Amino acid sequence: MKTSLVALAALSLAAPFSASPALAQEAPDRLSAVADEALASDTAAWDFVEGITTEVGPRQAGTEAEQRGRDWAVKWLRANGFRNVADEPYQMQTWVPGSNATARVTAPYAQDLMIVPLGNSASTGEAGIEAEVVYFPSYADLAAAPEGSLTGKIAFISHDMRPTQDGSGYGFAGPVRWTGAGLAASKGAVATVIRSIGTETERTPHTGGTSFPDGVAPTPAGALSNPDADNLERMFARAAKTGGGKPITMKLVLTPRVIGEATSGNVVGEIVGRDPSLPPVLLACHLDSWWNGTGAFDDGAGCGIVAAAALNVAKAGQPLRTIRVLFAGAEEVGLFGSTAYSEAHIDEPIAVGIESDFGADRIWRIDSNFTASNPDLYGKLARAVARFGVAPSREVATGGADINIVRDQGGALIDLQQDGSRYFDLHHTNNDTLDKIDPAQLRQNVAVYTQVAGILANTREPFKPAE
């Protein structure tokens, strides 16, 4: 295959990680051939994500739809030859979004805005609430507002997010959604609306979870689409110039509710290794999605990627270590599946954990938490994926949301960093659908995961994560 400039750059960068002349002269093997085949023609990942989005669709945690998703995944894993397939249930408090979510500016510039409720927020009731809106350009402005200053009012937080390849903009903008409603409620707000934590310019609001501190009752909270947040900002600017100080008022109708304890679950399956005494390689994703999209990018693709990679490693021959796939449940609403899996299996050592939960666009960098403590192994991995355009780094991997068990055990972690440049255009929206997945980039993910998982699953020595 023709070597890309990106791949050449990655090979050059990999030089500091070279371990020994013997490792540097590794000959192509069956695993590498299978990974190359995956890049060109893998169909398993697409089969998974196409199937679950077509036959099940949205998979809101704790609902009948999520259960259908787990049933579908169990059937798929068994049909594709995985062993020890199981649905491991647990109980969780379950929030559902309700219906009829609307936001309307009632004065002075009457018009409707596009909104979705935020997870864990409260209901306005069917009749809705109408109140004056107070504008905060940033989260810091809300934090500076005096206690009690929002009593009886709706807070509008318009702290925006910018696209980045590594998704770092989410860490900057995320607190608006994660804690903004709780902060506003603590200052007396009867409801909160935020600018969506997303990067596109469509009228597609982004949902996601929010939270309320102890002692603060949940209030209604929703996310406006970016164009509607822009419009609301302009209304405040215009009212300040020409409105004579007349307040902007809004009517909200948001009807989510907590339905109490319900069953969710984690789906697991294995490619059984030759030596069951060795701790397994854990490949993870999450199976649930929000209600407003089909969960293709977030995270049906991730489950397809890790499952396809496990199957490809088996094509190269039975691995030394078992490869276990974990399709975690209820990630979106609070990492219930990750927590439950760790609690249930904490005494079962995991050799190394990797998660795919950042869409389906190409992998561009490999991080680990053993780069310094086990440079031979890291160097071998970095060289093996350079031909796929993946660069080495000295960043320390922290692991995906659904592999709490590996962090709890102090184990080895790898982050295969995907290009997040357009991820937050789709994240938690009704546009998270199959047509947004580029099959070629999906196959590149499968090829990289195949190569990495295969090397790890055929390594006998401990991985020695940094302490």
Side-chain angles (χ1 to χ4, degrees):
M1 61 185 289
K2 185 176 180 180
T3 304
S4 68
L5 291 175
V6 175
L8 287 170
L11 283 164
S12 175
L13 287 169
F17 300 105
S18 296
S20 68
L23 281 175
Q25 297 299 320
E26 289 160 4
D29 56 15
R30 177 59 181 154
L31 175 65
S32 295
V34 169
D36 289 342
E37 290 168 9
L39 181 68
S41 58
D42 178 78
T43 59
W46 181 269
D47 178 72
F48 184 96
V49 67
E50 186 276 336
I52 200 166
T53 56
T54 302
E55 297 185 25
V56 181
R59 303 172 297 282
Q60 178 77 16
T63 67
E64 173 272 341
E66 191 197 29
Q67 177 67 66
R68 283 191 290 113
R70 295 200 307 279
D71 292 344
W72 190 95
V74 164
K75 182 178 178 181
W76 190 95
L77 288 171
R78 287 176 175 159
N80 282 276
F82 282 82
R83 302 282 299 278
N84 303 321
V85 177
D87 179 355
E88 301 183 355
Y90 52 84
Q91 298 299 112
M92 55 168 281
Q93 285 291 313
T94 299
W95 175 96
V96 293
S99 58
N100 303 321
T102 62
R104 180 171 177 80
V105 173
T106 52
Y109 312 116
Q111 56 185 287
D112 295 323
L113 309 177
M114 299 297 293
I115 194 168
V116 288
L118 295 179
N120 303 314
S121 64
S123 174
T124 62
E126 294 289 345
I129 58 173
E130 185 173 2
E132 179 183 349
V133 183
V134 180
Y135 169 43
F136 297 99
S138 72
Y139 186 86
D141 293 318
L142 172 63
E147 296 298 319
S149 61
L150 297 181
T151 299
K153 298 176 182 178
I154 297 171
F156 165 48
I157 318 168
S158 194
H159 188 109
D160 67 347
M161 180 180 177
R162 304 297 169 86
T164 55
Q165 185 179 39
D166 64 359
S168 56
Y170 194 45
F172 166 75
V176 173
R177 194 193 78 220
W178 304 330
T179 62
L183 180 59
S186 73
K187 297 174 183 287
V190 295
T192 301
V193 294
I194 69 168
R195 174 188 288 274
S196 280
I197 307 304
T199 52
E200 92 304 336
T201 57
E202 306 297 324
R203 293 190 81 186
T204 50
H206 299 237
T207 190
T210 193
S211 62
F212 297 85
D214 291 343
V216 176
T219 54
L224 299 171
S225 75
N226 280 317
D228 286 297
D230 290 341
N231 194 15
L232 190 53
E233 282 190 2
R234 291 194 299 271
M235 291 180 188
F236 274 96
R238 184 156 303 191
K241 290 180 180 178
T242 64
K246 186 176 181 180
I248 291 176
T249 58
M250 179 183 290
K251 181 174 182 179
L252 285 175
V253 179
L254 302 170
T255 58
R257 66 189 191 280
V258 175
I259 61 174
E261 286 219 334
T263 300
S264 183
N266 296 316
V267 173
V268 294
E270 293 181 337
I271 299 297
V272 177
R274 303 192 305 274
D275 187 346
S277 71
L278 293 173
V281 173
L282 183 66
L283 304 181
C285 61
H286 69 85
L287 200 61
D288 65 308
S289 75
W290 290 103
W291 79 93
N292 56 333
T294 62
F297 238 54
D298 186 19
D299 184 32
C303 292
I305 289 163
V306 300
L311 290 173
N312 284 329
V313 173
K315 287 181 185 177
Q318 185 181 18
L320 178 65
R321 295 178 185 269
T322 291
I323 299 176
R324 181 177 301 157
V325 295
L326 167 62
F327 297 169
E331 185 269 351
E332 298 290 9
V333 296
L335 308 187
F336 288 98
S338 184
T339 301
Y341 189 80
S342 184
E343 290 176 351
H345 298 277
I346 192 63
D347 294 330
E348 304 168 21
I350 300 295
V352 59
I354 321 175
E355 176 158 24
S356 180
D357 182 20
F358 200 44
D361 286 348
R362 71 177 189 90
I363 295 168
W364 63 282
R365 196 179 79 196
I366 178 171
D367 305 336
S368 84
N369 68 346
F370 54 81
T371 305
S373 55
N374 194 345
D376 285 4
L377 178 59
Y378 180 80
K380 182 177 183 179
L381 293 168
R383 286 189 300 277
V385 297
R387 71 187 189 280
F388 301 123
V390 180
S393 85
R394 295 190 184 274
E395 296 295 322
V396 177
T398 56
D402 295 300
I403 49 179
N404 274 347
I405 186 170
V406 184
R407 286 184 291 271
D408 293 344
Q409 293 178 353
L413 295 164
I414 290 176
D415 291 337
L416 295 174
Q417 300 286 4
Q418 293 162 292
D419 187 342
S421 301
R422 69 183 184 117
Y423 180 73
F424 291 102
D425 291 356
L426 307 170
H427 183 244
H428 298 180
T429 74
N430 58 0
N431 274 339
D432 182 1
T433 50
L434 183 68
D435 59 296
K436 309 307 186 301
I437 294 177
D438 177 345
Q441 294 193 69
L442 181 69
R443 292 194 302 271
Q444 187 258 12
N445 276 258
V446 175
V448 174
Y449 266 84
T450 297
Q451 187 74 69
V452 169
I455 291 173
L456 297 170
N458 286 290
T459 298
R460 181 177 292 279
E461 295 74 24
F463 298 151
K464 299 187 297 185
E467 296 181 0

